[in-house]
Amino acid sequence: MARRSDHSREQLQQMAISAAIAILNEHGVAGLSARKVAKSIGYTVGTLYLVFKNLDELLLYVNAATLDDLQRAIMQEANVHTDPAQILKTMALAYLRYAQQHSARWSLLFSHRLPANQPIPAWFEQKITSVFDGVKMPLQQLHPELNESALLQATRELWSGVHGACDLGLSDKLNLGGRFKLEELIESFVENYLFGFAKSKGIA
Amino acid sequence: MARRSDHSREQLQQMAISAAIAILNEHGVAGLSARKVAKSIGYTVGTLYLVFKNLDELLLYVNAATLDDLQRAIMQEANVHTDPAQILKTMALAYLRYAQQHSARWSLLFSHRLPANQPIPAWFEQKITSVFDGVKMPLQQLHPELNESALLQATRELWSGVHGACDLGLSDKLNLGGRFKLEELIESFVENYLFGFAKSKGIA
DNA sequence: TAATATTCTGAACACTGTTTAATTTGAATA
DNA sequence: TATTCAAATTAAACAGTGTTCAGAATATTA
């Protein structure tokens, strides 16, 4: 295993991922390039392609790290309250705050598409499921009688709304006209959905 | 007003916009470039920059056209039913179908960001508001007692969910695991939200 | 030390958005 | 009609992009 520098492939990968995240935070998605990442870790572009199949693969790992981060940010605020509905509202606001404070990473996470016909790896899908599971828990606490299937669907419905509001809101496509704050809209949405979900299932 | 060809600036703009849309439909967002658009209308790149400030401006007009198209697609299906709730469900499914059938244009509409600090033009915001107004109408029919402000917010809440479900669903980030169809999830979401909205307002 | 395998670079390729000097062109003027 | 002049258009250039790969540099093995 001859190597010029003293960085293993794994180290090199991790260095590149960290460098990419730093560039994203400082210069946004448009400011990111393979050469800049390479330069930032003291290597040439070619080396990057020795460790990643292509730039899309690097971005996939960056997004995976963002997903971990995002989950941490959401779950951190989850234990502040005991009321499940209150927990879900707090998680939704944490989701929004993360998107606001890490706009470039958040934007990349949802705008990046793998080349056509290349499916999302199973380990990445698992990370997504894991985030949803964090949302599912308080929802289950709220409705213990629901089966796994109904719970899974309700989680997706609820979080689609939270995500959609963040996506449209942060790209100025909600046209609230300054009359409402995005935080209020999201809180109100969660309340309304939870209320309707309970009622339509004949609960509460 | 000497001109070499017989295309006015306005004609040139419209030709470029149409060409860009055609390229998007055929080769996706990644297949679009200034040179390809120029070549497609029989001109050189430089001419494009005589008519548009930059590529972002061209894409803005493309997105405006998509917004018009999208609204038409939604409103077209709106008059099939008389029940407002049914209308809203049909509109949501039309939104999904448009996103599926015009994935590149839909994707560009929501992923394209103008350069930093450059605000969305008022005429473009008006188009967004106009789409929301189409959703607002059946919602008002459903709840005539609501004031303009509450109606506006409910419209945004409802459509955030529809949009979020389409966005996540079509990029394989909902992880439904093949257990549910996206159409069913969206229909169920609209039902649940409408139910909860009515109940939380002390109506119905 | 010599042979071999791995790491890494530098240069190239085809592309991108954008700018601008030079040219072509049509129309107005003399 | 010939000349002038301004607008339309191009071609070429610039700096950047993702990606590849022959060859140089380095470490391990014999």
Side-chain angles (χ1 to χ4, degrees), chain B residues 70 95 98-99 102-110 163 166-167:
Chain B
L70 184 55
Y95 191 83
Y98 188 91
H102 308 83
S103 59
R105 293 180 68 182
W106 197 81
S107 183
L108 182 70
L109 174 58
F110 293 106
H163 172 76
C166 292
D167 188 31

Side-chain angles (χ1 to χ4, degrees), chain A residues 2-5 9 35 43-44 46-47:
Chain A
R3 67 175 47 96
R4 189 145 145 188
S5 178
R9 277 208 166 81
R35 281 179 180 82
Y43 283 83
T44 317
T47 305

Side-chain angles (χ1 to χ4, degrees), chain B residues 42-204:
Chain B
Y43 283 84
T44 318
V45 228
T47 304
L48 229 53
Y49 284 82
L50 218 87
V51 160
F52 297 105
K53 200 170 121 275
N54 48 35
L55 194 69
D56 281 317
E57 195 183 63
L58 167 55
L59 296 186
L60 187 74
Y61 286 115
V62 168
N63 283 341
T66 301
L67 220 39
D68 288 342
D69 244 37
L70 184 55
Q71 180 173 30
R72 220 174 296 132
I74 295 173
M75 299 308 287
Q76 197 170 321
E77 313 260 332
N79 293 323
V80 177
H81 300 92
T82 51
D83 174 31
Q86 196 61 49
I87 291 177
L88 286 169
K89 272 197 272 185
T90 313
M91 291 174 82
L93 292 181
Y95 191 83
L96 170 64
R97 197 170 42 212
Y98 188 91
Q100 287 173 323
Q101 294 178 345
H102 308 83
S103 59
R105 293 180 68 182
W106 197 81
S107 183
L108 182 70
L109 174 58
F110 293 106
S111 71
H112 180 248
R113 309 270 129 114
L114 289 176
N117 298 349
Q118 192 175 329
I120 298 178
W123 62 265
F124 191 93
E125 281 199 312
Q126 179 49 48
K127 279 187 190 297
I128 298 175
T129 298
S130 180
V131 174
F132 277 126
D133 283 347
V135 179
K136 198 171 66 179
M137 271 168 55
L139 207 53
Q140 180 164 35
Q141 209 176 333
L142 204 59
H143 297 301
E145 72 291 347
L146 291 180
N147 62 22
E148 183 64 21
S149 192
L151 211 52
L152 189 145
Q153 174 163 347
T155 304
R156 269 63 174 173
E157 289 181 18
L158 173 62
W159 219 250
S160 287
V162 174
H163 172 76
C166 292
D167 188 31
L168 293 177
L170 296 181
S171 59
D172 296 311
K173 295 196 174 74
L174 267 185
N175 288 24
L176 294 173
R179 271 171 292 214
F180 305 100
K181 289 180 68 178
L182 191 50
E183 285 84 356
E184 295 167 9
L185 186 128
I186 290 175
E187 276 201 83
S188 167
F189 164 79
V190 173
E191 280 174 19
N192 284 329
Y193 178 79
L194 290 181
F195 214 115
F197 181 70
K199 201 68 194 67
S200 80
K201 297 293 166 193
I203 309 159

Side-chain angles (χ1 to χ4, degrees), chain A residues 129-194:
Chain A
T129 298
S130 180
V131 174
F132 276 126
D133 284 346
V135 179
K136 197 171 68 179
M137 272 169 54
L139 207 53
Q140 180 164 34
Q141 210 177 331
L142 205 60
H143 297 299
E145 73 290 346
L146 290 179
N147 62 23
E148 183 64 21
S149 192
L151 212 51
L152 189 143
Q153 174 163 346
T155 304
R156 270 61 175 172
E157 290 180 18
L158 173 62
W159 219 250
S160 288
V162 174
H163 171 77
C166 292
D167 188 30
L168 294 178
L170 297 180
S171 59
D172 296 313
K173 294 195 176 72
L174 267 186
N175 288 24
L176 294 173
R179 271 170 292 215
F180 304 101
K181 289 180 68 178
L182 190 51
E183 285 85 356
E184 295 167 9
L185 185 129
I186 290 176
E187 275 201 84
S188 167
F189 165 80
V190 173
E191 280 175 18
N192 284 329
Y193 178 79
L194 290 181

Side-chain angles (χ1 to χ4, degrees), chain A residues 20-166:
Chain A
I21 290 173
I23 293 173
L24 278 174
N25 287 335
E26 274 198 64
H27 305 101
V29 180
L32 186 70
S33 79
R35 281 179 180 82
K36 284 179 189 163
V37 170
K39 185 168 195 174
S40 161
I41 64 172
Y43 283 83
T44 317
V45 228
T47 305
L48 228 53
Y49 285 81
L50 219 87
V51 160
F52 297 104
K53 201 171 121 275
N54 48 36
L55 194 69
D56 280 318
E57 195 183 62
L58 168 55
L59 296 186
L60 187 74
Y61 287 115
V62 168
N63 283 341
T66 302
L67 220 39
D68 289 341
D69 244 38
L70 183 56
Q71 180 174 28
R72 221 173 297 131
I74 294 173
M75 300 308 286
Q76 198 169 319
E77 313 260 334
N79 293 324
V80 178
H81 300 92
T82 51
D83 173 31
Q86 196 61 50
I87 291 177
L88 286 169
K89 271 196 272 184
T90 312
M91 291 174 82
L93 292 180
Y95 191 83
L96 170 64
R97 197 172 39 221
Y98 187 92
Q100 287 173 324
Q101 293 178 346
H102 309 82
S103 59
R105 294 180 67 182
W106 197 81
S107 182
L108 182 70
L109 174 58
F110 293 106
S111 71
H112 181 246
R113 310 271 128 112
L114 289 176
N117 299 349
Q118 192 175 329
I120 297 178
W123 61 266
F124 192 92
E125 282 199 312
Q126 180 48 49
K127 280 188 189 294
I128 297 175
T129 298
S130 180
V131 174
F132 276 126
D133 284 346
V135 179
K136 197 171 68 179
M137 272 169 54
L139 207 53
Q140 180 164 34
Q141 210 177 331
L142 205 60
H143 297 299
E145 73 290 346
L146 290 179
N147 62 23
E148 183 64 21
S149 192
L151 212 51
L152 189 143
Q153 174 163 346
T155 304
R156 270 61 175 172
E157 290 180 18
L158 173 62
W159 219 250
S160 288
V162 174
H163 171 77
C166 292

